[in-house]
Amino acid sequence: MMITTLDDVEFETRTIGPLVLTTPVLRQLGLTEIIDRFCPVAEQADMGHGAVAEMLVQCRLTEPLALYDMVDWAERYGIAALYDVLERAEQLNDDRIARMLDTIYDQRAVIWGEVIGRAARAYGLDLSRLHADTAPIKFAGLFADQPEEEGVPRLEPGYNPQGEWVQQLKLFALAAGDSGLPVWFDALSGGEGDSSNYVPQFEAFCKHAQLATLLPLDEVIVLGDRKMPTEENQLAWLRLNVSYIGPTTMQNHHRETLRGLLAAGQEWTELPYVARRDAGKKPEERTMYEGVGHTVTLTNPESGQEYAVRHLYIRSSALAQHAAKRRQAEMTAIEAEIQRIQGLVNKYDYKTPEIVAQRVQKKAFKKRQARRYFEIQVLVHDEQPEAPLELLYTVDREQVLQDAELDGVYLLVAGGPAARWDDVTVLQEWKGQYKVEHCFRLTNQLFLVGPMFLKTPRRIASLILLIMIGCLVAGLIERQVRRALAERQEPIRGLMPEDRDNLRPTIPRILKAFAHYSIVHVRRSDGTIVGRQFAKLNTVQEQILDVLGFPEPAEMFG
């Protein structure tokens, strides 16, 4: 902040940054109005919960670490001059935020459902492709002793995907195939399993977002990872007549089925699909996909009704090469270690069959998958008392060849209307599953928050609602920019360094373009604002606002 005094007038420069982009989207979604409708305050209250919640979302989008001190953030960004309901930054104190979080907890689902419904209608979102997955959300701060309350998710310590032992919740999300936008979420306890949540969460999404008013359910397809297509989940999707596609772990009976199909005359059929990462490669350098499929019957044990389900075995050349290299590397390492141990037999403490066998297990086999190909024997030659032990090993080369035939093979399961699709379509639809990672991108970080946020599990769950609304806002901005640039076939000039402008800029880069955008307040000595002047937009900022169709800041905050 810079202050210049001229007689009885002060000039203050405040950075408002990405608020120029996020405010129009929040207004379009009507977040303040929605929360105030479901969570009204007393008539004498000076500010509704909706405004407080919106400002917390703005804080999350402009400066995530500022969640630790909202008053300081509001002061530095001059929020009181941008929100008429806020007279002083001090009004965003912990007590007010805590009341808001406590109040919105019970209305989280209906608030989110209303927000998504508005987003779908205002921006024409395609909700026919829903990608499901879970991810940890980790927090840092002073954790209070949280009371146990049935049905309320709890922070629990555990390992995250990076191998860190942290306090975390688990986030379940449905992301739209349309730009990977989050369209449904729920906060689960940190140690809760995944499989049992897919169907109830989908049903909750249908209810609160009123999905049936946007499109017929038989046009919806749910895509997930290996935890999704359990038999129980599949039967639930089938009863709803909703399509689903997901991989399932290859068991021995699956491998035998595939071998039987090949033995009966079926052949691997090429499935045309080019991943975005392979688009610039020569055809011979791209990953090739082949498929063998057949239809199986899944029976509802309660009603006896039978459903047709498609099983599609996919063989990926890239996965096959990786599996072959890994197996060869493991076999080489195991064989080298066994041969080393052979040289130590009858020496040091390698003087009993039990010790020798244990050392092979510990040093050579470890947890390597290739250990299944090796068989060892420790022979005792009584006629050679000075060196009675001999370590021998054999390699099951036939099993190696048999397994190599199925290198790079995985199994996709498709049910509902999707069971009638051709194999190419099934593969192409499932390959969009990566889009759910886009949904998690802005949540995949450490949240440093004040003790007030962590005092109860309910407040943490309410905070996650507002974090996810922030993710939706960011995703909508990125989506709208990319769609407009694709239509124009013209990038935003100067957005990327070193002339690397493209048609798919990311939201961090878009927001960064406004990081230092500021406003000058003219104040009297008593603190009253008597005028303000918004900074002149640079060429990159002008292009972004033009692409999005947003008004200039002076008009937006007028």
Side-chain angles (χ1 to χ4, degrees):
M1 178 181 69
M2 179 181 68
I3 300 179
T4 304
T5 303
L6 183 63
D7 296 332
D8 62 342
V9 176
E10 293 181 340
F11 297 88
E12 297 178 349
T13 300
R14 304 281 185 173
T15 298
I16 61 175
L19 294 171
V20 174
L21 300 179
T22 57
T23 301
V25 180
L26 284 164
R27 290 177 179 175
Q28 180 75 61
L29 297 178
L31 177 63
T32 297
E33 180 268 321
I34 290 172
I35 292 179
D36 285 343
R37 176 154 44 92
F38 289 109
C39 306
V41 295
E43 290 185 6
Q44 65 269 26
D46 59 352
M47 195 182 336
H49 294 309
V52 178
E54 181 173 314
M55 283 182 264
L56 195 149
V57 173
Q58 294 276 42
C59 176
R60 167 75 189 99
L61 287 165
T62 56
E63 194 174 330
L65 289 182
L67 288 176
Y68 194 83
D69 189 346
M70 286 280 292
V71 172
D72 177 68
W73 168 81
E75 178 67 28
R76 287 185 291 106
Y77 277 76
I79 299 299
L82 303 178
Y83 280 82
D84 293 340
V85 295
L86 188 71
E87 297 180 1
R88 311 176 310 281
E90 291 75 16
Q91 289 176 274
L92 283 180
N93 55 59
D94 283 1
D95 289 340
R96 186 182 296 271
I97 295 172
R99 287 196 299 272
M100 179 272 294
L101 294 173
D102 290 338
T103 302
I104 69 174
Y105 175 81
D106 289 327
Q107 303 297 329
R108 290 174 305 142
V110 293
I111 291 171
W112 179 262
E114 283 274 327
V115 169
I116 284 299
R118 289 197 181 188
R121 293 177 176 86
Y123 294 94
L125 303 184
D126 179 4
L127 301 180
S128 63
R129 301 296 185 267
L130 301 175
H131 301 267
D133 203 355
T134 61
I137 296 184
K138 54 186 179 179
F139 291 85
L142 297 176
F143 294 88
D145 292 332
Q146 298 178 354
E148 291 194 22
E149 188 173 349
E150 186 176 355
V152 180
R154 287 177 53 79
L155 277 169
E156 294 176 345
Y159 288 105
N160 65 7
Q162 291 74 42
E164 303 166 316
W165 183 261
V166 293
Q167 292 279 355
Q168 60 186 11
L169 286 177
K170 184 173 288 185
L171 178 69
F172 179 96
L174 291 174
D178 183 348
S179 304
L181 294 170
V183 295
W184 182 256
F185 83 97
D186 198 8
L188 310 176
S189 295
E192 189 166 342
D194 296 351
S195 297
S196 61
N197 280 290
Y198 285 92
V199 174
Q201 295 294 342
F202 174 78
E203 292 176 332
F205 170 58
C206 292
K207 173 184 175 182
H208 293 293
Q210 300 181 3
L211 186 61
T213 66
L214 301 172
L215 76 167
L217 286 185
D218 61 5
E219 294 182 9
V220 175
I221 177 170
V222 182
L223 303 105
D225 60 11
R226 295 181 187 276
K227 299 179 288 293
M228 187 190 79
T230 63
E231 183 172 324
E232 182 179 358
N233 285 347
Q234 290 188 64
L235 287 170
W237 301 129
L238 292 166
R239 284 192 292 268
L240 293 170
N241 197 33
V242 171
S243 293
Y244 63 88
I245 299 176
T248 189
T249 302
M250 286 271 286
Q251 305 290 344
N252 285 333
H253 70 273
H254 293 132
R255 297 185 181 89
E256 293 306 314
T257 297
L258 175 56
R259 291 189 175 101
L261 293 172
L262 295 172
Q266 284 205 46
E267 297 181 351
W268 289 103
T269 303
E270 184 176 353
L271 303 177
Y273 174 79
V274 179
R276 183 177 296 166
R277 66 176 179 274
D278 287 345
K281 298 180 181 178
K282 298 177 181 179
E284 61 272 17
E285 296 175 347
R286 296 172 180 167
T287 299
M288 185 176 72
Y289 298 91
E290 297 174 301
V292 170
H294 71 128
T295 300
V296 302
T297 299
L298 193 60
T299 303
N300 186 334
E302 298 177 359
S303 66
Q305 184 174 356
E306 295 183 343
Y307 300 95
V309 176
R310 186 70 173 168
H311 279 196
L312 176 60
Y313 295 90
I314 304 291
R315 182 166 66 184
S316 159
S317 61
L319 291 179
Q321 292 173 9
H322 176 76
K325 288 180 180 178
R326 177 177 177 176
R327 180 174 50 248
Q328 184 57 50
E330 288 190 355
M331 291 182 65
T332 299
I334 289 173
E335 199 156 8
E337 187 61 26
I338 291 177
Q339 290 173 0
R340 186 187 71 85
I341 294 173
Q342 282 178 322
L344 298 175
V345 172
N346 297 309
K347 300 176 183 177
Y348 309 110
D349 58 346
Y350 291 77
K351 294 182 179 181
T352 69
E354 293 76 18
I355 289 294
V356 173
Q358 287 174 7
R359 295 298 166 81
V360 172
Q361 292 289 340
K362 183 178 180 180
K363 300 292 186 179
F365 291 165
K366 298 182 179 179
K367 294 183 179 180
R368 294 172 172 136
Q369 296 180 6
R371 66 184 183 274
R372 63 195 298 262
Y373 305 123
F374 290 81
E375 183 177 340
I376 64 168
Q377 288 181 296
V378 182
L379 303 181
V380 180
H381 300 287
D382 294 329
E383 70 279 8
Q384 301 175 8
E386 293 185 358
L389 303 183
E390 181 182 10
L391 171 61
L392 301 177
Y393 72 95
T394 58
V395 181
D396 190 344
R397 301 292 178 183
E398 184 177 344
Q399 185 64 53
V400 172
L401 293 174
Q402 190 177 43
D403 288 354
E405 293 175 354
L406 300 185
D407 278 351
V409 175
Y410 55 91
L411 174 59
L412 292 181
V413 178
R420 299 187 292 271
W421 295 354
D422 62 80
D423 294 345
V424 174
T425 302
V426 170
L427 174 65
Q428 291 176 341
E429 288 288 354
W430 183 73
K431 279 296 183 178
Q433 176 64 6
Y434 73 90
K435 293 178 182 177
V436 73
E437 299 301 328
H438 187 90
C439 165
F440 290 136
R441 188 171 63 193
L442 288 179
T443 67
N444 188 23
Q445 57 182 275
L446 181 68
F447 289 101
L448 177 63
V449 295
M452 175 273 300
F453 289 105
L454 301 172
K455 190 171 183 179
T456 70
R458 285 174 172 256
R459 289 182 186 173
I460 296 171
S462 296
L463 175 61
I464 291 177
L465 164 66
L466 301 179
I467 288 173
M468 293 305 294
I469 290 174
C471 290
L472 175 64
V473 170
L476 286 169
I477 294 171
E478 182 181 88
R479 172 186 185 266
Q480 296 305 102
V481 168
R482 290 182 174 186
R483 285 167 67 92
L485 296 183
E487 184 176 338
R488 298 181 180 189
Q489 285 298 298
E490 181 74 19
I492 295 173
R493 300 297 180 186
L495 179 62
M496 300 294 292
E498 302 175 357
D499 295 323
R500 290 189 284 112
D501 297 322
N502 58 70
L503 302 180
R504 297 181 58 81
T506 64
I507 186 60
R509 178 60 63 176
I510 296 168
L511 296 181
K512 186 177 181 180
F514 284 85
H516 303 293
Y517 186 78
S518 60
I519 180 175
V520 176
H521 293 154
V522 182
R523 290 183 184 272
R524 290 199 182 102
S525 56
D526 62 0
T528 305
I529 295 179
V530 294
R532 61 183 180 177
Q533 179 66 46
F534 289 88
K536 179 178 174 58
L537 295 166
N538 63 36
T539 56
V540 172
Q541 293 165 345
E542 287 178 339
Q543 291 177 79
I544 293 174
L545 291 184
D546 178 62
V547 163
L548 289 169
F550 287 173
E552 291 200 2
E555 179 183 350
M556 185 187 314
F557 296 108

